[in-house]
Amino acid sequence: MKDEALLTATNVTRTFGGRGGCRDISLALWPGEVLGIVGESGSGKTTLLRTLAGFDRPDSGHITFHLAGKPIDLYGMDEASRRALMRTEWGMVHQNPRDGLRLDVSAGANIGESLMAKGERHYGHIRKSACDWLARVEIDPARIDDNPKSFSGGMQQRLQIARVLVARPRLVLMDEPTGGLDVSVQARLLDLLRVLVRDLGIAAIVVTHDLAVARLLTDRLIVMKNSEIIEEGLTDQVLDDPHHAYTQLLTSSVLSV
Amino acid sequence: MTVMLEARNLKKTFTLHNQQGVVLDVLEGVDFDLSSGEMVVLKGPSGTGKSTLLRILYGNYRPVAGSVRIWHEGKMVDIVGARASLVLDIRRKTVSFVSQFLRVIPRISTLAIVMDPMLSRGIQEKDARDRAAEMLKQLRLPERLWGLAPTTFSGGEQQRVNIARSFVAPTPLMLLDEPTASLDAENRDIVVNLIESTRKAGAAIAGIFHDETVSDRIATRSISL
């Protein structure tokens, strides 16, 4: 891992009319690192993720992205440049695959679009990459021309991940990537994500309420409650030696099978 | 002999906020040193903090006070309060922790599990595969099991998968928390020999073994907590 953070947030606050959201959040993400954000519903996890991702402007505070050694203030730039940056350097995996896919075009086109956004124009190359990526996320490449509407939820989620990762983003943001999937698909998907993150050396932020997912997928963990960060550390430190009362409650409440 | 680890004045308490705020004092003023080529056995009855000490040395538990300095890439680095990415780097290259339990992703094959730490250290896939197979053979895990996920394996088989994963490419510093707990005598001997040869090859090892015959046989030094 390099010495310079890829993304830093400084005193970021975004509330909804003074209520909810996230408050005074500071964090840094290093290249190749997977950061988990855990906490109960309504603790501000998704708000924080959307703010970090460039979707929602914070009420106060700064988010800085380091591009080729140069710091860029994410919300200090104009909308068009921010969108361009998000399209080329970033990928967002939504909780609901329907938010991240285009359901009225084929699976292959969903993957190909990401490549075209990065400037690829050769149809043969695009189609070949799409085939490769379908295979990597364990979808039969023969279904490349099928519409994702005809896919199961688990397949749609894997397609969404292929669509995001094909563009080789430097940063991937995931909101409950395994939520709503049955457990057998979850295990497969987790391993896939873990291997892809390792092989591609990308950095990721994963929001989840599932501590088992956090343990498998993340290097470092942030625990949120009532819009604030109450504890952070290496994932195994936070889960095995939790200090805050709420984290202790969270880790001792997990059912084991 | 290189000094691989130097822990000073460790103090650890656990505050159980949800159980009447009880405070457990587990360690107080503990010093611990470990050099390459040494096998130090931690002794003492249950509950004296042996596992807690081992976990602090790995950076898993966070001590209230004290320092844990580890020889990492040519210098001593204090892992207490160190940046997460540094601790992760130290764990990838310098220190590993072997517990008695195998914790893995469901549905991933045994061979892949053993290869995994090598792949994350950048060893080529082909090489990693050969070495993993060699190690599983040495630990006498039948080849028909290699393609299966270990969830359904017996306790002893799972433990050997865990040992294979940790010893196939040993780090200079190894922390063992009862790695032989559920092995039969024959398999235990194989693992003990593996630990011995890893130590003789220069690793610094600290461990907890409840089996006296094992600890007497492999210890070059022992300390009581």
Side-chain angles (χ1 to χ4, degrees), chain A residues 15 45 65 85 93 99 104 109 131 138 159 162 193 195 218 229:
Chain A
T15 59
K45 306 187 296 283
F65 184 68
L85 184 72
V93 176
D99 294 336
D104 46 359
C131 269
E138 298 172 11
L159 180 63
L193 284 172
V195 169
T218 66
I229 294 177

Side-chain angles (χ1 to χ4, degrees), chain B residues 69-170:
Chain B
R69 287 156 33 93
I70 288 178
W71 182 253
H72 174 67
E73 299 196 315
K75 57 175 188 282
M76 291 302 264
V77 185
D78 190 354
I79 62 164
V80 177
R83 202 177 75 196
S85 56
L86 177 61
V87 178
L88 291 172
D89 194 51
I90 292 173
R91 287 182 184 178
R92 203 160 24 240
K93 297 169 186 158
T94 306
V95 57
S96 45
F97 187 88
V98 189
S99 79
Q100 53 180 311
F101 305 108
L102 177 68
R103 174 140 46 198
V104 291
I105 300 182
R107 298 182 60 192
I108 307 307
S109 79
T110 296
L111 196 64
I113 289 166
V114 177
M115 287 167 66
D116 189 61
M118 290 188 278
L119 296 180
S120 50
R121 266 183 248 156
I123 293 172
Q124 289 302 307
E125 182 151 356
K126 162 88 176 65
D127 192 17
R129 184 177 301 275
D130 292 347
R131 287 167 69 176
E134 183 57 41
M135 181 52 70
L136 287 169
K137 226 179 265 168
Q138 192 183 335
L139 289 166
R140 302 198 317 167
L141 214 76
E143 201 163 341
R144 63 189 159 80
L145 297 180
W146 297 1
L148 306 178
T151 329
T152 55
F153 291 7
S154 73
E157 284 164 349
Q158 290 197 11
Q159 199 156 47
R160 277 178 286 151
V161 173
N162 202 23
I163 289 163
R165 175 186 163 86
S166 312
F167 280 87
V168 66

Side-chain angles (χ1 to χ4, degrees), chain A residues 1 3 30 184 187-188 191 194 198 215-216 219-220 231-232 234 236-237 240-241 243 245 248-249, chain B residues 12 14-18 59-62 83-85 87-88 91 103 105-108 116 119-120:
Chain A
M1 286 181 202
D3 279 337
W30 274 268
S184 61
R188 262 291 182 244
D191 187 56
R194 197 180 56 93
R198 180 185 71 197
R215 191 187 283 273
L216 286 176
D219 301 312
R220 203 153 59 85
E231 184 158 359
E232 60 181 306
L234 285 169
D236 64 292
Q237 288 173 341
D240 295 338
D241 183 18
H243 288 189
Q248 290 185 355
L249 186 67
Chain B
K12 179 64 184 168
F14 292 96
T15 309
L16 310 179
H17 294 289
N18 302 303
N60 177 223
Y61 286 179
R62 296 169 280 189
R83 202 177 75 196
S85 56
V87 178
L88 291 172
R91 287 182 184 178
R103 174 140 46 198
I105 300 182
R107 298 182 60 192
I108 307 307
D116 189 61
L119 296 180
S120 50

